[in-house]
C-alpha cells in the first residue's frame, strides 16, 4: 500500500534532561536507529544534553543526518552539539520553532518537560488552525503520557476540545507503530473561515 506521507525529515521534541527511566533512554535510541534505517533526517533542538542528545548521538553514530536548530542565547546553556550534519542558529525561540516546522515533514514527541510540551502543543494548535497538515506523533513510553492523554480526553468530554482535534495527535507505544500511523495520516481539510495569509 502506498504511503500518504513520505517522511524525509522528522522533528523530534524531547527533554533536555535524561529522566530516570531506562526504558525512555532505550526508546530514544530505538527512534534514532529507526530514523537511520528509514533514511529519515533528524531535526531537533541541537542540544548535546538529555534525551535530545541521546537521539542525536544515536543517529550520528550510525552515520545518519541531523539538523540542529537552536537560538544563539541557548547555545551555552543547552550545550550545543558541534558534531551535527547541519547547525542552524536562530535569533530567538519563535524563529527556532518556525524553522523546525518549516523544514520538517512531521513531528514526534518523546518524554520531556515544559519545553517539550510547549513545542508539541504549538504544532498541534498550528495544525488545528490549518497552518500545516503534517503528522504529529506522540510516543507514549512506559505510560509516561497516560495522565496527559486522560486530561485531553477530559477536555473532549467537557466540551473544550473537539474530538477531531484530539485525533490530530497520533499516539502509539512503539516506534514502528507510530511511524506507520504518521505515514498514513491524512490532514483534515483547512477550515473555510481561515485565510493563512492573515495569521
Ligand atoms: P524541556 O522539555 O523543558 O527539557 O525542553 C526541551 C527543549 O524545549 C529544549 O531545547 C528547550 O530549549 C525547548 N524549549 C523550552 N521552552 C521553549 C519554548 N517556549 N519554545 C520552544 N522551545 C522551548
Amino acid at each position: 500500500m502506498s504511503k500518504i506521507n513520505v517522511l524525509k525529515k522528522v522533528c523530534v521534541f524531547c527533554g533536555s534532561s535524561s529522566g530516570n527511566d531506562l526504558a525512555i533512554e532505550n526508546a530514544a535510541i530505538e527512534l534514532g536507529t529507526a530514523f537511520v534505517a528509514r533514511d529519515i533526517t533528524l531535526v531537533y533542538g541541537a542540544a548535546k544534553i538529555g534525551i535530545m542528545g541521546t537521539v542525536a548521538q544515536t543517529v550520528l553514530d550510525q552515520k545518519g543526518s541531523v539538523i540542529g536548530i537552536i537560538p544563539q542565547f541557548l547555545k551555552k546553556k543547552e550545550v550545543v552539539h558541534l558534531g551535527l550534519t547541519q547547525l542552524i542558529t536562530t535569533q530567538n525561540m519563535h524563529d527556532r520553532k518556525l524553522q523546525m516546522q518549516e523544514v520538517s515533514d512531521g513531528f514526534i514527541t518523546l518524554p520531556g518537560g515544559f519545553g517539550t510540551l510547549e513545542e508539541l502543543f504549538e504544532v498541534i494548535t498550528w495544525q488545528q488552525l490549518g497552518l500545516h497538515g503534517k503528522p504529529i506523533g506522540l510516543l507514549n513510553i512506559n505510560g509516561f503520557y497516560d495522565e496527559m492523554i486522560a486530561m485531553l480526553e477530559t477536555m473532549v468530554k467537557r466540551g473544550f476540545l473537539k474530538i477531531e482535534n484530539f485525533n490530530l495527535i497520533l499516539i502509539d507505544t512503539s516506534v514502528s507503530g507510530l511511524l506507520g500511523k504518521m505515514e498514513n495520516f491524512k490532514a483534515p481539510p483547512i477550515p473555510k473561515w481561515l485565510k493563512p495569509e492573515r495569521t
Side-chain angles (χ1 to χ4, degrees):
M1 209 176 71
S2 69
K3 300 164 190 167
I4 293 173
N5 304 296
V6 179
L7 303 173
K8 288 194 180 140
K9 292 187 190 132
V10 172
C11 183
V12 174
F13 301 133
C14 59
S16 54
S17 306
S18 293
N20 51 21
D21 181 350
L22 199 59
I24 291 173
E25 190 86 17
N26 287 338
I29 294 170
E30 195 190 334
L31 185 67
T33 304
F35 274 22
V36 180
R38 292 168 181 243
D39 209 12
I40 296 172
T41 294
L42 167 69
V43 178
Y44 87 119
K48 210 172 175 176
I49 52 174
I51 291 290
M52 295 170 74
T54 303
V55 183
Q57 200 53 53
T58 302
V59 174
L60 291 169
D61 286 348
Q62 297 179 38
K63 311 274 176 270
S65 296
V66 181
I67 300 173
I69 307 181
I70 191 164
Q72 180 64 38
F73 82 98
L74 269 185
K75 276 183 159 175
K76 200 164 169 201
K77 185 170 179 282
E78 293 196 345
V79 194
V80 66
H81 197 308
L82 294 174
L84 305 177
T85 317
Q86 189 186 354
L87 179 66
I88 299 172
T89 305
T90 64
Q91 292 204 331
N92 53 48
M93 297 299 259
H94 297 294
D95 212 25
R96 177 201 229 181
K97 282 183 293 185
L98 187 62
Q99 292 208 38
M100 282 172 153
Q101 201 266 110
E102 282 175 352
V103 302
S104 306
D105 303 310
F107 311 90
I108 292 180
T109 297
L110 293 178
F114 279 158
T116 302
L117 291 190
E118 202 271 349
E119 289 168 324
L120 167 67
F121 284 110
E122 182 155 272
V123 286
I124 299 167
T125 51
W126 286 5
Q127 176 157 131
Q128 186 175 268
L129 293 171
L131 297 177
H132 73 83
K134 301 172 181 180
I136 300 168
L138 180 69
L139 195 57
N140 189 18
I141 304 149
N142 240 354
F144 183 84
Y145 281 117
D146 284 357
E147 286 84 2
M148 187 187 82
I149 294 164
M151 180 68 220
L152 298 177
E153 285 166 350
T154 298
M155 288 159 73
V156 174
K157 271 194 220 115
R158 303 243 190 137
F160 282 98
L161 174 61
K162 292 198 176 96
I163 184 75
E164 58 268 31
N165 287 333
F166 170 72
N167 289 335
L168 293 176
I169 312 179
L170 308 172
I171 304 170
D172 211 288
T173 54
S174 83
V175 169
S176 59
L178 187 65
L179 288 169
K181 282 181 184 170
M182 290 174 69
E183 284 168 346
N184 291 308
F185 170 76
K186 202 160 173 252
I190 295 173
K192 281 200 194 72
W193 51 266
L194 192 101
K195 292 206 166 70
E197 66 274 12
R198 285 200 194 154
T199 57

